[in-house]
C-alpha cells in the first residue's frame, strides 16, 4: 500500500494553534523533535453545544442539546494536538473542569511525546479520586491530543505510530433509529432504516429499551423494511435485567439480530455471562468500562462476545492499546464504540486501520466503523478538512478510506469552535 505523508516541517506549519517562534528554524524544530523535546505550553478544553431540531433519546433519557467536548494541547514547537472526551450535556462541563484545573497543572511543561509517562503520572494522581468515569474520560481527551502531536511531529498518521495499517478501507455501519416520544415510532424506524440502507451502509444499529413487547415490534418493523440480507444490531443501553433480557434475546435471534448491545447494567458481570451462555446471538458491551483494570475483569470473565471499547472514555489511545492486547489474548473480537464529533470519528479510523485481524485468516472478518447517522453539525462541519464519511459510504460500497494526513488529521475550524463554544 502506498500512502503519502507530509514531512515534519509541513506538519508543523500546518498545525492549527500557536505560531512557531520566528527565531526557531525548521532545522532547529526538527532537531528538538528528534530529541523528543516538545513541551506542553497550554491545555484548553472546548465545550461546544447547540439545540437539536428534534429530541433524541435512548433507554435512559431524552435530550435536546448536541454537545462535543474537544481538548486542545499546545506546545512550544508550534504543534497543536486535538482530542475529544466522551460525555455530553452537563457531564462535558464537569470534564472541562477536570481537564483544565486538575490535569493541565499536572503536565504543562512536560514533554508532549512522553505519552506513557504522562498517562501514568496523571492516573496515579487521580486514582484515589476516581478509577472510572469522568476523570478517565478527561484523561482520554488529553492522551488522544498527545498522539495527534506525536504523529504531526514525525509527519506520519497515528496508525503508522501504532505499527501500520492492516487495511486500506474500513466498512462502516450506520447507527440511527434513536428513541423518540412518538406514537408512530415503528413507522418512523422503518423509514429511517430504509434511508440508512439506501445511503449505502452494509449494516445498521437501532435503539431498543422500551420494554420487550414494544422492542420486538420496533425490530420487526425495521427487519421488514430492510430485508434479511443486511446485518442489524440492537442497543438497549442497559435497560434490562438478565431475566428480562433472555426471552427478549430469543425473540431478537428469530429476527436475525447480529448483536444485542448493553442488555444489562455494566456492573452486572454475572448477568452478561449468563446471557452469553443462554443466547446464540452475540452479546456486545464495553462502552461504559474504563482502563485496562476494568476491561481485564470484563474480558477475563468472558462477559461479552464482542467488545466495544470507547477510546474517548476508557483512557485514550495509550490505554486502548492495553485493552486491545487483553482482548486479543482472550480472543474476544473488538468493534470500537464510536460517538461524538469528527475528532472522535477520525481517531477511530486510525485505531481501526491498525487493528489486527484476529484470530487471523486469508479472508478475515473486517472490523467496522460505527457511524452515527442522526443530525450532528459537530460531526459534519467541525473540521478544516471534512472526513466525508457519508459521501465515501455512498461511493465506495459502504466503506471509508483510512486517513493519510500527519497525526489524526482532525484539525478543527477555529472559527466554528468559537461560534459554538459555551462556558
Ligand atoms: Ca451503545
Amino acid at each position: 500500500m502506498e500512502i503519502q505523508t507530509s514531512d515534519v516541517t509541513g506538519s508543523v506549519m500546518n498545525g492549527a494553534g500557536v505560531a512557531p517562534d520566528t527565531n526557531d528554524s525548521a532545522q532547529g524544530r526538527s532537531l528538538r523533535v528528534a530529541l523528543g523535546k516538545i513541551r506542553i505550553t497550554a491545555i484548553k478544553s472546548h465545550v461546544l453545544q447547540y439545540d437539536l431540531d428534534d429530541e433524541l433519546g435512548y433507554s435512559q433519557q431524552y435530550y435536546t442539546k448536541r454537545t462535543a467536548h474537544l481538548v486542545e494541547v499546545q506546545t512550544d514547537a508550534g504543534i497543536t494536538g486535538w482530542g475529544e472526551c466522551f460525555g455530553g450535556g452537563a457531564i462535558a462541563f464537569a470534564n472541562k473542569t477536570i481537564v483544565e484545573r486538575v490535569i493541565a497543572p499536572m503536565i504543562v511543561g512536560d514533554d508532549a511525546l512522553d505519552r506513557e509517562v504522562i498517562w501514568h503520572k496523571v492516573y496515579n494522581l487521580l486514582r484515589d479520586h476516581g478509577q472510572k468515569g469522568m476523570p478517565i474520560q478527561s484523561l482520554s481527551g488529553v492522551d488522544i491530543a498527545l498522539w495527534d502531536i506525536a504523529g504531526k511531529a514525525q509527519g506520519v498518521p497515528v496508525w503508522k505510530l501504532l505499527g501500520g495499517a492492516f487495511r486500506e478501507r474500513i466498512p462502516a455501519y450506520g447507527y440511527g433509529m434513536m428513541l423518540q416520544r412518538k406514537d408512530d415510532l415503528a413507522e418512523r424506524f422503518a423509514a429511517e432504516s430504509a434511508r440508512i440502507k439506501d445511503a449505502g451502509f452494509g449494516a445498521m444499529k437501532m435503539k431498543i429499551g422500551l420494554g420487550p413487547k414494544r422492542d420486538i415490534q420496533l425490530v420487526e418493523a425495521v427487519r421488514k423494511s430492510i430485508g434479511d440480507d443486511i446485518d442489524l444490531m440492537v442497543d438497549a443501553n442497559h435497560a434490562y435485567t438478565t431475566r428480562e433480557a433472555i426471552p427478549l434475546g430469543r425473540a431478537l435471534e428469530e429476527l436475525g439480530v447480529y448483536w444485542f448491545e448493553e442488555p444489562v447494567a455494566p456492573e452486572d458481570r454475572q448477568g452478561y455471562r449468563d446471557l452469553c451462555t443462554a443466547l446464540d446471538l452475540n452479546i456486545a458491551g464495553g462502552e461504559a468500562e474504563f482502563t485496562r483494570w476494568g476491561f481485564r475483569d470484563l474480558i477475563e470473565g468472558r462477559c461479552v462476545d464482542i467488545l466495544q471499547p470507547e477510546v474517548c472514555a476508557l483512557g485514550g489511545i495509550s490505554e486502548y492499546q492495553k485493552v486491545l492486547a487483553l482482548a486479543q489474548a482472550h480472543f474476544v473480537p473488538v468493534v470500537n464504540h464510536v460517538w461524538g464529533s469528527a475528532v472522535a470519528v477520525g481517531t477511530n479510523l486510525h485505531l481501526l486501520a491498525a487493528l489486527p485481524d484476529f484470530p487471523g485468516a486469508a479472508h478475515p472478518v473486517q472490523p467496522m466503523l460505527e457511524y452515527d447517522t442522526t443530525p450532528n453539525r459537530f460531526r459534519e462541519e467541525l473540521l478544516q478538512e471534512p472526513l466525508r464519511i457519508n459521501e465515501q459510504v455512498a461511493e465506495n460500497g459502504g466503506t471509508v478510506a483510512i486517513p493519510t494526513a500527519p497525526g489524526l488529521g482532525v484539525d478543527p475550524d477555529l472559527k466554528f469552535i468559537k461560534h459554538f463554544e459555551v462556558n
Side-chain angles (χ1 to χ4, degrees), residues 205 207 235 237 261-262 287 308 337 370:
K205 186 166 82 184
K207 291 296 187 194
D235 184 0
N237 291 96
E261 178 170 327
E262 286 205 298
E287 69 181 88
Q308 299 175 296
H337 179 265
E370 174 171 12

Side-chain angles (χ1 to χ4, degrees), residues 13-228:
M13 298 308 287
N14 288 334
V18 179
D21 186 333
T22 47
N23 294 324
D24 191 6
S25 68
Q27 203 179 7
R29 281 199 307 274
S30 297
L31 185 61
R32 286 194 296 128
V33 167
L35 292 172
K37 288 184 182 172
I38 301 180
R39 303 230 179 272
I40 298 172
T41 52
I43 300 178
K44 292 182 188 169
S45 175
H46 305 275
V47 177
L48 317 184
Q49 215 164 46
Y50 72 92
D51 291 322
L52 288 164
D53 291 338
D54 292 310
E55 180 183 74
L56 294 174
Y58 56 103
S59 67
Q60 303 297 328
Q61 63 175 329
Y62 294 91
Y63 56 89
T64 54
K65 281 189 190 302
R66 185 66 83 185
T67 313
H69 178 194
L70 308 181
V71 176
E72 176 184 9
V73 177
Q74 297 177 348
T75 66
D76 67 355
I79 302 174
T80 296
W82 291 92
E84 180 160 355
C85 302
F86 186 80
I91 306 299
F93 294 102
N95 284 345
K96 176 183 169 73
T97 302
I98 298 174
V99 169
E100 292 189 336
R101 302 194 62 171
V102 181
I103 297 177
M106 294 175 183
I107 64 172
V108 167
D110 287 0
D111 188 331
L113 298 184
D114 291 350
R115 301 181 291 285
E116 196 66 27
V117 175
I118 288 172
W119 195 96
H120 282 85
K121 178 181 179 179
V122 173
Y123 185 79
N124 288 341
L125 289 167
L126 291 177
R127 175 185 268 135
D128 291 6
H129 312 284
Q131 298 146 19
K132 298 188 183 207
M134 291 190 275
I136 310 302
Q137 291 172 346
S138 301
L139 173 55
S140 300
V142 174
D143 178 82
I144 291 167
L146 296 181
W147 280 86
D148 189 26
I149 290 166
K152 286 168 174 167
Q154 294 191 28
V156 297
V158 165
W159 55 255
K160 191 66 114 174
L161 297 181
L162 294 170
F166 287 84
R167 51 195 62 81
E168 294 182 50
R169 309 200 65 82
I170 300 160
Y173 77 83
Y175 154 51
M177 292 159 282
M178 297 196 66
L179 303 183
Q180 293 187 297
R181 286 181 272 203
K182 310 272 189 194
D183 293 336
D184 60 345
L185 196 58
E187 291 79 8
R188 286 168 176 268
F189 273 23
E192 189 176 348
S193 60
R195 284 198 297 275
I196 293 172
K197 185 181 177 183
D198 291 344
F201 291 95
M204 69 181 77
K205 186 166 82 184
M206 60 183 284
K207 291 296 187 194
I208 59 169
L210 295 176
K213 200 175 160 193
R214 186 101 172 90
D215 285 354
I216 292 165
Q217 288 168 351
L218 291 174
V219 179
E220 280 174 345
V222 168
R223 181 52 90 192
K224 196 172 168 211
S225 165
I226 61 175
D228 293 331

